[in-house]
Amino acid sequence: MRYQDELFRQREELLLDTALALFRECGWEKVTVSQLAARAGVAKGTVYKHFASKEAIYASLALRFSRSCLEQYESMPHRPSPLESIREVIRAAFARMLSHPLEVQLCLHCDRPEFQSRLDESQRGAFQALDEQYNALFHRLVEAAVAAGEIPPKSPESLYWGVDAVFQGVMARIAAGGLGLERHATPSLEIYSEHVVEFITAGLLGRFPDPGPEASP
Amino acid sequence: MRYQDELFRQREELLLDTALALFRECGWEKVTVSQLAARAGVAKGTVYKHFASKEAIYASLALRFSRSCLEQYESMPHRPSPLESIREVIRAAFARMLSHPLEVQLCLHCDRPEFQSRLDESQRGAFQALDEQYNALFHRLVEAAVAAGEIPPKSPESLYWGVDAVFQGVMARIAAGGLGLERHATPSLEIYSEHVVEFITAGLLGRFPDPGPEASP
DNA sequence: GTCATATAATGACTGACGGTCATATTGTGA
DNA sequence: TCACAATATGACCGTCAGTCATTATATGAC
């Protein structure tokens, strides 16, 4: 490996770390590419050697974060109860997100079609691959719980939709730093997420007893 | 009312309608204030007589939409079963959002602290008031279902967190026009939302039977 | 080690666009 | 009708993402 290639790789890591630090200080929308270049000790044009756009920096940070989360979840030990394994993965995910609100904000920002359409192919492809990996992980977990009789037989697909929706919502709340707008007695985000875990679990278990066409009180 | 006041009022409505039309054509991020002014037949500076910023236009559209949704939900007939009333409100909400994806996008965009902090007091206050009204509606619905014995006694608050999270997620998916990123067999959004209604209902009902400290298969 | 050439870094420049404000135009009310 | 207040206008301004001609550095053949 040539000196230049190694320098390029290291500088790219430095730029991402520097961006993260600056974003934490000032908010990612407010940080300019010039500020990032100055902080990292390079010229502004050099930043564009590494990243096609400011948005590509956001994407790189989101991808980096998502990858490390997935690694964590995939290496978690299995419990005797597959449903408990699911709950633990969900808890771990919430805990991870709670300690990285900035990254959560970036992930949400990137997870929109207009944004994705502005990325180059390789980054877009990376998001897709990650998405598929998350999906596969969820399927594995749910299928194990169904096979163990802990969850009623139901397509992992439709369960995923419910869980996905909750995750999106929790991410938005974590990204916002709370339940927003002082709307009501605000719990700590930890308590909030534990309640949501319970909500998800119930959602996965489904209604019991199974309702008739017109359930009556 | 003076001619000028009536003209101002009508022009403001025209500007909002024109903005909505342009946003649908080109995407709200891409539409410039100049384009909006030209389409509406006024000078650019006149737009700023009505709205403090481009973001204030977003906020006005989001507020308008949210208000009309709330009116609809509050005027829906009650069912003999309060739980069914809840489900119907949720269905109506999803249906409303499904037919107004642009407005949903704008609502999501506005529902972030950084955005809110850039609004003037009156718009920020309007968002808060609406938020409280939505919250009160949910509380009413849930309390009726609890009183009818259809939902286990539980604080409406904690139930709200689960439902709120799901709503956020569904909104994000509707705003994105689907489940994003070609990740898996994509259902129609209608089918998707029906499954999510079921997930929410189960979440509201909670786990049954109530699990012990360590549920085993 | 030298040096011609390729490669990479630099920062002044460019254009887009949100927002402003001096000037022109229109409305108001005595 | 007309002096004055209120309002509309669009050229202008500042910011910032992104660009690229010029300068600096790395590379590899000899």
Side-chain angles (χ1 to χ4, degrees):
Chain A
M1 178 174 286
R2 294 179 317 155
Y3 163 72
Q4 282 286 46
D5 293 331
E6 180 59 22
L7 178 60
F8 191 84
R9 203 195 56 74
Q10 286 181 11
R11 199 196 289 117
E12 187 155 308
E13 212 61 27
L14 171 69
L15 285 171
L16 288 176
D17 292 338
T18 307
L20 213 36
L22 273 174
F23 291 172
R24 283 205 183 97
E25 287 171 36
C26 315
W28 48 274
E29 284 176 280
K30 286 208 186 103
V31 173
T32 63
V33 175
S34 293
Q35 287 170 321
L36 170 59
R39 176 68 73 88
V42 299
K44 190 170 161 199
T46 302
V47 177
Y48 287 96
K49 292 290 179 187
H50 290 263
F51 306 101
S53 61
K54 194 184 181 193
E55 290 187 321
I57 299 174
Y58 298 157
S60 293
L61 287 170
L63 284 166
R64 200 169 72 164
F65 177 68
S66 295
R67 281 192 192 111
S68 73
C69 289
L70 188 58
E71 276 178 34
Q72 180 191 347
Y73 310 150
E74 286 189 327
S75 56
M76 284 174 73
H78 289 285
R79 296 301 173 196
S81 154
L83 183 59
E84 204 48 43
S85 288
I86 295 177
R87 288 164 59 88
E88 286 206 352
V89 170
I90 292 168
R91 276 200 204 94
F94 287 177
R96 190 73 178 258
M97 293 194 289
L98 274 169
S99 52
H100 296 81
L102 171 63
E103 284 91 330
V104 173
Q105 283 172 26
L106 291 175
C107 288
L108 286 175
H109 190 65
C110 296
D111 193 17
R112 294 174 305 119
E114 326 84 62
F115 182 94
Q116 289 285 323
S117 71
R118 295 194 289 265
L119 293 184
D120 62 43
E121 273 289 345
S122 69
Q123 282 196 315
R124 198 160 43 242
F127 275 109
Q128 287 178 14
L130 259 183
D131 195 54
E132 276 154 24
Q133 282 169 290
Y134 270 95
N135 188 41
L137 172 64
F138 178 79
H139 272 70
R140 253 178 270 138
L141 292 171
V142 170
E143 272 161 2
V146 170
E150 291 186 320
I151 286 183
K154 208 173 185 182
S155 110
E157 213 66 69
S158 58
L159 291 178
Y160 183 73
W161 301 332
V163 176
D164 170 72
V166 176
F167 256 81
Q168 278 286 123
V170 172
M171 281 172 83
R173 293 317 174 202
I174 289 171
L179 287 170
L181 314 179
E182 325 285 353
R183 69 184 63 161
H184 34 72
T186 309
S188 77
L189 281 170
E190 282 82 9
I191 293 175
Y192 164 78
S193 63
E194 196 50 43
H195 277 275
V196 173
V197 169
E198 207 47 43
F199 190 87
I200 293 175
T201 306
L204 288 173
L205 293 176
R207 286 205 259 174
F208 184 89
D210 209 315
E214 208 68 39
S216 50
Chain B
M1 181 176 285
R2 292 182 316 154
Y3 163 74
Q4 281 288 53
D5 294 332
E6 180 59 20
L7 177 60
F8 190 86
R9 201 194 57 73
Q10 288 182 7
R11 198 196 290 120
E12 186 154 308
E13 212 62 27
L14 170 68
L15 285 171
L16 288 175
D17 292 338
T18 306
L20 212 36
L22 274 173
F23 290 172
R24 287 211 180 94
E25 288 171 32
C26 315
W28 50 274
E29 283 176 280
K30 285 209 187 99
V31 174
T32 63
V33 176
S34 293
Q35 287 169 321
L36 170 59
R39 175 69 71 88
V42 299
K44 189 172 163 199
T46 304
V47 177
Y48 287 95
K49 293 291 180 189
H50 292 263
F51 306 102
S53 61
K54 195 184 180 196
E55 290 189 320
I57 298 173
Y58 298 157
S60 294
L61 288 170
L63 284 167
R64 202 169 71 165
F65 177 68
S66 295
R67 281 192 194 111
S68 74
C69 290
L70 187 60
E71 275 178 32
Q72 182 191 347
Y73 309 150
E74 286 189 326
S75 56
M76 286 175 70
H78 288 285
R79 296 299 173 198
S81 152
L83 182 61
E84 203 48 43
S85 288
I86 294 177
R87 287 163 59 90
E88 288 207 350
V89 170
I90 292 168
R91 279 202 202 91
F94 286 177
R96 189 70 179 259
M97 294 196 288
L98 274 167
S99 53
H100 297 81
L102 171 63
E103 283 91 332
V104 173
Q105 284 172 27
L106 291 175
C107 288
L108 286 175
H109 188 66
C110 297
D111 191 19
R112 297 176 303 122
E114 326 83 60
F115 182 95
Q116 290 286 319
S117 70
R118 296 192 293 261
L119 294 183
D120 61 45
E121 272 290 345
S122 68
Q123 283 198 311
R124 194 159 45 241
F127 274 109
Q128 288 178 10
L130 260 183
D131 196 56
E132 277 154 22
Q133 283 170 289
Y134 270 95
N135 189 42
L137 172 62
F138 179 79
H139 271 69
R140 252 178 274 137
L141 291 172
V142 169
E143 271 160 3
V146 169
E150 293 186 319
I151 285 183
K154 208 171 181 183
S155 111
E157 215 65 67
S158 57
L159 291 176
Y160 185 72
W161 301 329
V163 175
D164 170 71
V166 176
F167 258 77
Q168 277 288 121
V170 173
M171 280 171 84
R173 294 318 176 200
I174 288 171
L179 286 171
L181 312 184
E182 323 286 349
R183 69 183 64 161
H184 33 73
T186 309
S188 78
L189 281 170
E190 280 85 10
I191 294 174
Y192 165 78
S193 63
E194 197 51 41
H195 276 276
V196 174
V197 170
E198 209 47 45
F199 191 89
I200 294 175
T201 307
L204 287 174
L205 295 175
R207 290 207 254 175
F208 185 86
D210 208 318
E214 208 66 40
S216 50

